PDB file of all heavy atoms in Angstrom:
ATOM      1  N   ALA A   1       4.936   5.948  -4.297  1.00 95.00           N
ATOM      2  CA  ALA A   1       5.299   6.315  -2.851  1.00 95.00           C
ATOM      3  C   ALA A   1       5.828   5.043  -2.232  1.00 95.00           C
ATOM      4  O   ALA A   1       6.823   5.150  -1.494  1.00 95.00           O
ATOM      5  CB  ALA A   1       4.052   6.871  -2.075  1.00 95.00           C
ATOM      6  N   SER A   2       5.179   3.907  -2.416  1.00 94.00           N
ATOM      7  CA  SER A   2       5.786   2.645  -1.799  1.00 94.00           C
ATOM      8  C   SER A   2       7.154   2.325  -2.330  1.00 94.00           C
ATOM      9  O   SER A   2       7.875   2.004  -1.510  1.00 94.00           O
ATOM     10  CB  SER A   2       4.793   1.553  -2.186  1.00 94.00           C
ATOM     11  OG  SER A   2       5.239   0.359  -1.734  1.00 94.00           O
ATOM     12  N   ASP A   3       7.410   2.588  -3.567  1.00 95.00           N
ATOM     13  CA  ASP A   3       8.666   2.263  -4.199  1.00 95.00           C
ATOM     14  C   ASP A   3       9.713   3.250  -3.627  1.00 95.00           C
ATOM     15  O   ASP A   3      10.946   2.872  -3.497  1.00 95.00           O
ATOM     16  CB  ASP A   3       8.618   2.297  -5.690  1.00 95.00           C
ATOM     17  CG  ASP A   3       7.767   1.218  -6.254  1.00 95.00           C
ATOM     18  OD1 ASP A   3       7.533   0.261  -5.671  1.00 95.00           O
ATOM     19  OD2 ASP A   3       7.371   1.397  -7.518  1.00 95.00           O
ATOM     20  N   ALA A   4       9.373   4.552  -3.467  1.00 93.00           N
ATOM     21  CA  ALA A   4      10.261   5.565  -3.029  1.00 93.00           C
ATOM     22  C   ALA A   4      10.593   5.540  -1.503  1.00 93.00           C
ATOM     23  O   ALA A   4      11.668   6.106  -1.064  1.00 93.00           O
ATOM     24  CB  ALA A   4       9.724   6.934  -3.395  1.00 93.00           C
ATOM     25  N   SER A   5       9.739   4.861  -0.756  1.00 92.00           N
ATOM     26  CA  SER A   5       9.909   4.944   0.747  1.00 92.00           C
ATOM     27  C   SER A   5      11.076   3.940   1.130  1.00 92.00           C
ATOM     28  O   SER A   5      11.195   2.802   0.501  1.00 92.00           O
ATOM     29  CB  SER A   5       8.636   4.415   1.370  1.00 92.00           C
ATOM     30  OG  SER A   5       8.823   4.391   2.827  1.00 92.00           O
ATOM     31  N   ASP A   6      11.843   4.397   2.135  1.00 92.00           N
ATOM     32  CA  ASP A   6      12.940   3.507   2.591  1.00 92.00           C
ATOM     33  C   ASP A   6      12.410   2.680   3.800  1.00 92.00           C
ATOM     34  O   ASP A   6      13.196   1.827   4.259  1.00 92.00           O
ATOM     35  CB  ASP A   6      14.041   4.336   3.088  1.00 92.00           C
ATOM     36  CG  ASP A   6      14.661   5.173   1.910  1.00 92.00           C
ATOM     37  OD1 ASP A   6      14.690   4.617   0.792  1.00 92.00           O
ATOM     38  OD2 ASP A   6      15.181   6.277   2.065  1.00 92.00           O
ATOM     39  N   ASP A   7      11.186   2.897   4.266  1.00 94.00           N
ATOM     40  CA  ASP A   7      10.726   2.241   5.421  1.00 94.00           C
ATOM     41  C   ASP A   7       9.845   1.136   5.037  1.00 94.00           C
ATOM     42  O   ASP A   7       8.850   1.151   4.385  1.00 94.00           O
ATOM     43  CB  ASP A   7       9.884   3.224   6.294  1.00 94.00           C
ATOM     44  CG  ASP A   7       9.476   2.683   7.589  1.00 94.00           C
ATOM     45  OD1 ASP A   7       9.155   1.514   7.740  1.00 94.00           O
ATOM     46  OD2 ASP A   7       9.458   3.550   8.586  1.00 94.00           O
ATOM     47  N   PRO A   8      10.271  -0.139   5.495  1.00 95.00           N
ATOM     48  CA  PRO A   8       9.504  -1.362   5.110  1.00 95.00           C
ATOM     49  C   PRO A   8       7.968  -1.305   5.548  1.00 95.00           C
ATOM     50  O   PRO A   8       7.120  -1.794   4.803  1.00 95.00           O
ATOM     51  CB  PRO A   8      10.223  -2.483   5.819  1.00 95.00           C
ATOM     52  CG  PRO A   8      11.633  -1.988   6.040  1.00 95.00           C
ATOM     53  CD  PRO A   8      11.486  -0.494   6.258  1.00 95.00           C
ATOM     54  N   PHE A   9       7.685  -0.630   6.697  1.00 96.00           N
ATOM     55  CA  PHE A   9       6.409  -0.512   7.075  1.00 96.00           C
ATOM     56  C   PHE A   9       5.577   0.273   6.094  1.00 96.00           C
ATOM     57  O   PHE A   9       4.516  -0.177   5.618  1.00 96.00           O
ATOM     58  CB  PHE A   9       6.340   0.145   8.473  1.00 96.00           C
ATOM     59  CG  PHE A   9       4.906   0.667   8.866  1.00 96.00           C
ATOM     60  CD1 PHE A   9       4.013  -0.330   9.335  1.00 96.00           C
ATOM     61  CD2 PHE A   9       4.600   1.959   8.712  1.00 96.00           C
ATOM     62  CE1 PHE A   9       2.708   0.139   9.540  1.00 96.00           C
ATOM     63  CE2 PHE A   9       3.361   2.384   9.132  1.00 96.00           C
ATOM     64  CZ  PHE A   9       2.427   1.527   9.476  1.00 96.00           C
ATOM     65  N   HIS A  10       6.086   1.429   5.728  1.00 95.00           N
ATOM     66  CA  HIS A  10       5.393   2.290   4.736  1.00 95.00           C
ATOM     67  C   HIS A  10       5.207   1.616   3.384  1.00 95.00           C
ATOM     68  O   HIS A  10       4.155   1.690   2.775  1.00 95.00           O
ATOM     69  CB  HIS A  10       6.044   3.679   4.615  1.00 95.00           C
ATOM     70  CG  HIS A  10       5.997   4.553   5.858  1.00 95.00           C
ATOM     71  ND1 HIS A  10       4.733   4.832   6.419  1.00 95.00           N
ATOM     72  CD2 HIS A  10       6.943   5.237   6.480  1.00 95.00           C
ATOM     73  CE1 HIS A  10       5.009   5.554   7.505  1.00 95.00           C
ATOM     74  NE2 HIS A  10       6.319   5.754   7.576  1.00 95.00           N
ATOM     75  N   LYS A  11       6.239   0.795   2.911  1.00 94.00           N
ATOM     76  CA  LYS A  11       6.137   0.172   1.661  1.00 94.00           C
ATOM     77  C   LYS A  11       4.892  -0.805   1.798  1.00 94.00           C
ATOM     78  O   LYS A  11       4.151  -0.815   0.818  1.00 94.00           O
ATOM     79  CB  LYS A  11       7.407  -0.644   1.431  1.00 94.00           C
ATOM     80  CG  LYS A  11       8.578   0.188   0.903  1.00 94.00           C
ATOM     81  CD  LYS A  11       9.665  -0.648   0.678  1.00 94.00           C
ATOM     82  CE  LYS A  11      10.924   0.119   0.200  1.00 94.00           C
ATOM     83  NZ  LYS A  11      10.616   0.497  -1.263  1.00 94.00           N
ATOM     84  N   GLU A  12       4.854  -1.535   2.824  1.00 96.00           N
ATOM     85  CA  GLU A  12       3.806  -2.517   2.955  1.00 96.00           C
ATOM     86  C   GLU A  12       2.387  -1.854   3.151  1.00 96.00           C
ATOM     87  O   GLU A  12       1.306  -2.339   2.632  1.00 96.00           O
ATOM     88  CB  GLU A  12       4.106  -3.423   4.040  1.00 96.00           C
ATOM     89  CG  GLU A  12       3.052  -4.666   4.247  1.00 96.00           C
ATOM     90  CD  GLU A  12       3.096  -5.586   3.000  1.00 96.00           C
ATOM     91  OE1 GLU A  12       4.109  -5.515   2.279  1.00 96.00           O
ATOM     92  OE2 GLU A  12       2.253  -6.381   2.804  1.00 96.00           O
ATOM     93  N   GLN A  13       2.421  -0.723   4.011  1.00 96.00           N
ATOM     94  CA  GLN A  13       0.984  -0.076   4.172  1.00 96.00           C
ATOM     95  C   GLN A  13       0.455   0.526   2.948  1.00 96.00           C
ATOM     96  O   GLN A  13      -0.706   0.432   2.775  1.00 96.00           O
ATOM     97  CB  GLN A  13       1.379   1.077   5.215  1.00 96.00           C
ATOM     98  CG  GLN A  13       0.030   1.747   5.738  1.00 96.00           C
ATOM     99  CD  GLN A  13      -0.677   0.865   6.767  1.00 96.00           C
ATOM    100  OE1 GLN A  13      -0.284   0.684   7.851  1.00 96.00           O
ATOM    101  NE2 GLN A  13      -1.910   0.306   6.218  1.00 96.00           N
ATOM    102  N   PHE A  14       1.267   1.134   2.176  1.00 96.00           N
ATOM    103  CA  PHE A  14       0.769   1.604   0.839  1.00 96.00           C
ATOM    104  C   PHE A  14       0.244   0.552  -0.021  1.00 96.00           C
ATOM    105  O   PHE A  14      -0.904   0.645  -0.606  1.00 96.00           O
ATOM    106  CB  PHE A  14       1.924   2.417   0.077  1.00 96.00           C
ATOM    107  CG  PHE A  14       2.052   3.865   0.525  1.00 96.00           C
ATOM    108  CD1 PHE A  14       3.207   4.231   1.057  1.00 96.00           C
ATOM    109  CD2 PHE A  14       1.055   4.724   0.194  1.00 96.00           C
ATOM    110  CE1 PHE A  14       3.410   5.620   1.393  1.00 96.00           C
ATOM    111  CE2 PHE A  14       1.228   6.103   0.544  1.00 96.00           C
ATOM    112  CZ  PHE A  14       2.359   6.497   1.120  1.00 96.00           C
ATOM    113  N   LYS A  15       0.995  -0.656  -0.113  1.00 95.00           N
ATOM    114  CA  LYS A  15       0.525  -1.729  -0.941  1.00 95.00           C
ATOM    115  C   LYS A  15      -0.874  -2.274  -0.388  1.00 95.00           C
ATOM    116  O   LYS A  15      -1.782  -2.491  -1.237  1.00 95.00           O
ATOM    117  CB  LYS A  15       1.529  -2.891  -0.854  1.00 95.00           C
ATOM    118  CG  LYS A  15       2.822  -2.481  -1.580  1.00 95.00           C
ATOM    119  CD  LYS A  15       3.848  -3.666  -1.562  1.00 95.00           C
ATOM    120  CE  LYS A  15       5.138  -3.374  -2.204  1.00 95.00           C
ATOM    121  NZ  LYS A  15       6.139  -4.395  -2.118  1.00 95.00           N
ATOM    122  N   LEU A  16      -0.968  -2.423   0.927  1.00 96.00           N
ATOM    123  CA  LEU A  16      -2.244  -2.919   1.417  1.00 96.00           C
ATOM    124  C   LEU A  16      -3.403  -1.893   1.287  1.00 96.00           C
ATOM    125  O   LEU A  16      -4.532  -2.358   0.994  1.00 96.00           O
ATOM    126  CB  LEU A  16      -2.127  -3.339   2.966  1.00 96.00           C
ATOM    127  CG  LEU A  16      -1.125  -4.515   3.159  1.00 96.00           C
ATOM    128  CD1 LEU A  16      -0.952  -4.630   4.675  1.00 96.00           C
ATOM    129  CD2 LEU A  16      -1.775  -5.742   2.577  1.00 96.00           C
ATOM    130  N   ALA A  17      -3.126  -0.558   1.401  1.00 96.00           N
ATOM    131  CA  ALA A  17      -4.163   0.415   1.208  1.00 96.00           C
ATOM    132  C   ALA A  17      -4.640   0.351  -0.233  1.00 96.00           C
ATOM    133  O   ALA A  17      -5.808   0.567  -0.529  1.00 96.00           O
ATOM    134  CB  ALA A  17      -3.652   1.778   1.521  1.00 96.00           C
ATOM    135  N   ILE A  18      -3.683   0.173  -1.179  1.00 96.00           N
ATOM    136  CA  ILE A  18      -4.126   0.096  -2.651  1.00 96.00           C
ATOM    137  C   ILE A  18      -5.000  -1.104  -2.758  1.00 96.00           C
ATOM    138  O   ILE A  18      -6.043  -1.032  -3.524  1.00 96.00           O
ATOM    139  CB  ILE A  18      -2.860  -0.083  -3.458  1.00 96.00           C
ATOM    140  CG1 ILE A  18      -1.991   1.231  -3.402  1.00 96.00           C
ATOM    141  CG2 ILE A  18      -3.189  -0.359  -4.928  1.00 96.00           C
ATOM    142  CD1 ILE A  18      -0.662   1.079  -4.148  1.00 96.00           C
ATOM    143  N   LYS A  19      -4.723  -2.322  -2.208  1.00 96.00           N
ATOM    144  CA  LYS A  19      -5.561  -3.410  -2.397  1.00 96.00           C
ATOM    145  C   LYS A  19      -6.947  -3.213  -1.789  1.00 96.00           C
ATOM    146  O   LYS A  19      -7.955  -3.633  -2.424  1.00 96.00           O
ATOM    147  CB  LYS A  19      -4.906  -4.671  -1.584  1.00 96.00           C
ATOM    148  CG  LYS A  19      -3.667  -5.162  -2.264  1.00 96.00           C
ATOM    149  CD  LYS A  19      -3.164  -6.460  -1.479  1.00 96.00           C
ATOM    150  CE  LYS A  19      -1.934  -6.941  -2.175  1.00 96.00           C
ATOM    151  NZ  LYS A  19      -1.340  -8.223  -1.394  1.00 96.00           N
ATOM    152  N   SER A  20      -7.022  -2.520  -0.729  1.00 96.00           N
ATOM    153  CA  SER A  20      -8.282  -2.225  -0.098  1.00 96.00           C
ATOM    154  C   SER A  20      -9.177  -1.350  -1.065  1.00 96.00           C
ATOM    155  O   SER A  20     -10.393  -1.610  -1.312  1.00 96.00           O
ATOM    156  CB  SER A  20      -8.142  -1.497   1.247  1.00 96.00           C
ATOM    157  OG  SER A  20      -9.364  -1.099   1.741  1.00 96.00           O
ATOM    158  N   VAL A  21      -8.613  -0.317  -1.551  1.00 97.00           N
ATOM    159  CA  VAL A  21      -9.281   0.570  -2.530  1.00 97.00           C
ATOM    160  C   VAL A  21      -9.688  -0.090  -3.809  1.00 97.00           C
ATOM    161  O   VAL A  21     -10.844   0.033  -4.301  1.00 97.00           O
ATOM    162  CB  VAL A  21      -8.446   1.892  -2.922  1.00 97.00           C
ATOM    163  CG1 VAL A  21      -9.124   2.690  -3.932  1.00 97.00           C
ATOM    164  CG2 VAL A  21      -8.218   2.719  -1.575  1.00 97.00           C
ATOM    165  N   THR A  22      -8.838  -0.908  -4.442  1.00 96.00           N
ATOM    166  CA  THR A  22      -9.094  -1.525  -5.603  1.00 96.00           C
ATOM    167  C   THR A  22     -10.176  -2.604  -5.436  1.00 96.00           C
ATOM    168  O   THR A  22     -11.018  -2.839  -6.331  1.00 96.00           O
ATOM    169  CB  THR A  22      -7.744  -2.231  -6.257  1.00 96.00           C
ATOM    170  OG1 THR A  22      -7.132  -2.991  -5.303  1.00 96.00           O
ATOM    171  CG2 THR A  22      -6.832  -1.115  -6.677  1.00 96.00           C
ATOM    172  N   SER A  23     -10.118  -3.346  -4.288  1.00 96.00           N
ATOM    173  CA  SER A  23     -11.079  -4.283  -4.097  1.00 96.00           C
ATOM    174  C   SER A  23     -12.519  -3.678  -3.984  1.00 96.00           C
ATOM    175  O   SER A  23     -13.465  -4.225  -4.492  1.00 96.00           O
ATOM    176  CB  SER A  23     -10.736  -5.037  -2.804  1.00 96.00           C
ATOM    177  OG  SER A  23     -11.754  -5.962  -2.412  1.00 96.00           O
ATOM    178  N   CYS A  24     -12.661  -2.573  -3.122  1.00 97.00           N
ATOM    179  CA  CYS A  24     -13.821  -1.879  -3.067  1.00 97.00           C
ATOM    180  C   CYS A  24     -14.426  -1.403  -4.416  1.00 97.00           C
ATOM    181  O   CYS A  24     -15.608  -1.376  -4.637  1.00 97.00           O
ATOM    182  CB  CYS A  24     -13.828  -0.699  -2.020  1.00 97.00           C
ATOM    183  SG  CYS A  24     -13.560  -1.268  -0.321  1.00 97.00           S
ATOM    184  N   THR A  25     -13.367  -0.792  -5.186  1.00 96.00           N
ATOM    185  CA  THR A  25     -13.914  -0.333  -6.473  1.00 96.00           C
ATOM    186  C   THR A  25     -14.353  -1.405  -7.412  1.00 96.00           C
ATOM    187  O   THR A  25     -15.424  -1.239  -8.085  1.00 96.00           O
ATOM    188  CB  THR A  25     -12.592   0.349  -7.239  1.00 96.00           C
ATOM    189  OG1 THR A  25     -12.113   1.363  -6.451  1.00 96.00           O
ATOM    190  CG2 THR A  25     -12.981   0.977  -8.539  1.00 96.00           C
ATOM    191  N   SER A  26     -13.764  -2.549  -7.358  1.00 96.00           N
ATOM    192  CA  SER A  26     -14.274  -3.711  -8.213  1.00 96.00           C
ATOM    193  C   SER A  26     -15.620  -4.072  -7.789  1.00 96.00           C
ATOM    194  O   SER A  26     -16.475  -4.384  -8.701  1.00 96.00           O
ATOM    195  CB  SER A  26     -13.284  -4.920  -8.094  1.00 96.00           C
ATOM    196  OG  SER A  26     -11.901  -4.529  -8.598  1.00 96.00           O
ATOM    197  N   THR A  27     -15.855  -4.129  -6.470  1.00 96.00           N
ATOM    198  CA  THR A  27     -17.247  -4.567  -6.035  1.00 96.00           C
ATOM    199  C   THR A  27     -18.303  -3.527  -6.506  1.00 96.00           C
ATOM    200  O   THR A  27     -19.283  -3.877  -6.930  1.00 96.00           O
ATOM    201  CB  THR A  27     -17.220  -4.587  -4.576  1.00 96.00           C
ATOM    202  OG1 THR A  27     -16.058  -5.501  -4.155  1.00 96.00           O
ATOM    203  CG2 THR A  27     -18.559  -5.155  -4.006  1.00 96.00           C
TER     204      THR A  27
END
């Protein structure tokens, strides 16, 4: 979705949301 989006905001929002989920999962 981040790659497919044309909006820079959505690209970054998806990336940061992924980081949040993966960090919580690792913990």
Side-chain angles (χ1 to χ4, degrees):
S2 178
D3 293 340
S5 177
D6 295 327
D7 189 322
F9 166 78
H10 290 309
K11 283 181 176 293
E12 187 65 18
Q13 187 73 71
F14 274 115
K15 290 177 181 178
L16 292 175
I18 292 171
K19 287 182 180 179
S20 175
V21 171
T22 53
S23 176
C24 290
T25 303
S26 297
T27 306

